[in-house]
């Protein structure tokens, strides 16, 4: 019989990854239990021309049944709910499963996922519910650092979601620092390869949807830059990362005027 609620595929032959998958499975099960019976408010509304029809809205107000992927994406991507917390609680068990398996055809929308958590105010929910969300985010991040494969979200995007969902980047970087594993180092190289030019320009490498004040965005960028400058060079060398990438990590540790004058400053970077 096909499991109607599939969990992420196991990474064969990797016991540590299986341990983390077991933790993630438990976290997903706890989300399902903690939010059983949740539904959007009876007076919740949405623009029919831009969001969906009355029948679809009624599904959000009815607990239990999974939504089709398109409706699920419109629910967590929406920005004008009267009660975004109630909407997220309704969809959260299914949404979390979709996140861990790569969002299928909706990975393009992942930049909005963390804000959906933040705007719902999950950290103020009752202890069982907030604890279930917190454990899910930590279990997902620990798993993401140990696995890689087609269809899964890159670790940098999981980091982005967890950072926006929680409002802080430090706890997630601390887990990465403590995860000494070739796959975690591979993710570090991929992340720096995607983000180095933004960070060298002193810009956050994603657009935060959450309502962060400018100083908070700057603090996240500064913390991320400092962490990469301190921890990436040795790990990149050990992983055999390309020399230009290792220079990018080194340059991030230099003050702006000095890095601009360095002979390895990317010539096309302005």
């Amino acid at each position: 019989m096909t499991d109607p609620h599939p969990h992420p595929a196991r990474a064969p032959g990797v016991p540590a990854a299986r341990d983390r998958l077991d933790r993630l499975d438990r976290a997903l099960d706890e989300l399902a239990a903690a939010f059983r019976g949740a539904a959007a408010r009876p007076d919740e509304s949405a623009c029919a021309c831009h969001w969906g029809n009355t029948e679809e809205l009624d599904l959000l107000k009815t607990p239990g049944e999974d939504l089709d992927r398109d409706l699920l994406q419109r629910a967590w991507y929406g920005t004008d709910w009267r009660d975004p917390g109630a909407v997220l609680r309704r969809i959260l068990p299914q949404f979390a499963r979709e996140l861990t398996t790569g969002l299928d055809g909706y990975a393009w929308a992942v930049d909005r996922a963390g804000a959906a958590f933040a705007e719902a105010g999950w950290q103020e929910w009752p202890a069982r519910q907030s604890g279930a969300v917190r454990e899910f985010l930590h279990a997902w991040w620990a798993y993401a650092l140990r696995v890689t494969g087609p269809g899964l979200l890159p670790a940098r995007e999981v980091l982005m979601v967890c950072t926006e969902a929680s409002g802080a980047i430090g706890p997630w970087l601390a887990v990465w620092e403590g995860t000494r594993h070739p796959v975690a180092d591979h993710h570090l190289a991929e992340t720096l390869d995607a983000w180095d030019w933004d960070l060298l320009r002193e810009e956050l490498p994603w657009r935060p949807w959450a309502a962060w004040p400018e100083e908070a965005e700057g603090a996240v960028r500064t913390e991320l830059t400092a962490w990469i400058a301190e921890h990436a060079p040795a790990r990149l060398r050990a992983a055999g990362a390309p020399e230009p990438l290792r220079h990018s990590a080194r340059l991030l540790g230099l003050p702006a005027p000095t890095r601009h004058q360095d002979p390895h400053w990317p010539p096309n970077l302005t």
Side-chain angles (χ1 to χ4, degrees):
M1 181 175 180
T2 302
D3 183 356
H5 298 158
H7 289 178
R10 289 185 177 274
V14 187
R18 285 199 296 271
D19 290 344
R20 283 157 179 79
L21 180 55
D22 288 341
R23 179 186 179 186
L24 182 54
D25 282 344
R26 291 192 298 271
L28 291 168
D29 289 342
E30 176 58 18
L31 281 178
F35 295 98
R36 185 174 292 118
R41 283 172 29 175
D43 63 345
E44 189 60 82
S45 62
C47 172
C49 1
H50 297 98
W51 185 82
N53 58 42
T54 302
E55 290 75 16
E56 289 176 319
L57 189 59
D58 285 344
L59 289 174
L60 293 181
K61 300 175 183 180
T62 305
E65 186 176 341
D66 274 0
L67 310 176
D68 69 60
R69 282 193 167 105
D70 181 65
L71 178 55
L72 177 70
Q73 185 272 327
R74 282 183 278 136
W76 61 260
Y77 203 79
T79 59
D80 56 356
W81 297 117
R82 292 181 178 181
D83 188 344
V87 171
L88 186 64
R89 286 190 293 272
R90 164 62 177 88
I91 66 171
L92 190 48
Q94 183 184 1
F95 180 31
R97 294 195 309 270
E98 293 288 328
L99 283 169
T100 63
T101 53
L103 292 177
D104 196 31
Y106 296 96
W108 58 269
V110 70
D111 63 340
R112 169 81 187 135
F117 283 88
E119 291 164 3
W122 67 270
Q123 297 182 80
E124 304 302 319
W125 292 350
R128 184 183 186 187
Q129 294 184 347
S130 61
V133 175
R134 184 175 296 106
E135 172 58 13
F136 162 68
L137 293 173
H138 280 275
W140 180 33
W141 176 233
Y143 178 71
L145 287 173
R146 289 275 191 158
V147 298
T148 186
L152 296 177
L153 292 173
R156 65 182 179 275
E157 294 184 352
V158 180
L159 176 63
M160 176 185 69
V161 174
C162 291
T163 298
E164 290 212 19
S166 65
I169 199 170
W172 316 107
L173 295 178
V175 173
W176 206 341
E177 180 181 346
T179 306
R180 299 294 176 157
H181 190 274
V183 176
D185 294 344
H186 168 76
H187 284 309
L188 181 56
E190 282 196 336
T191 296
L192 187 58
D193 189 43
W195 285 0
D196 58 346
W197 280 25
D198 291 308
L199 292 172
L200 286 169
R201 283 193 295 253
E202 300 187 343
E203 298 174 358
L204 191 67
W206 73 85
R207 182 185 69 173
W209 281 80
W212 287 359
E214 186 175 344
E215 59 270 20
E217 182 178 335
V220 167
R221 175 187 53 77
T222 299
E223 190 172 1
L224 174 60
T225 299
W227 185 86
I228 290 175
E230 180 178 357
H231 297 284
R235 295 176 75 160
L236 293 174
R237 283 195 302 273
E243 185 177 2
L245 208 56
R246 302 200 305 271
H247 280 301
S248 289
R250 179 184 60 81
L251 288 168
L252 287 172
L254 302 177
T258 304
R259 74 171 64 143
H260 296 161
Q261 297 163 9
D262 190 277
H264 294 283
W265 177 260
N268 296 327
L269 184 59
T270 56

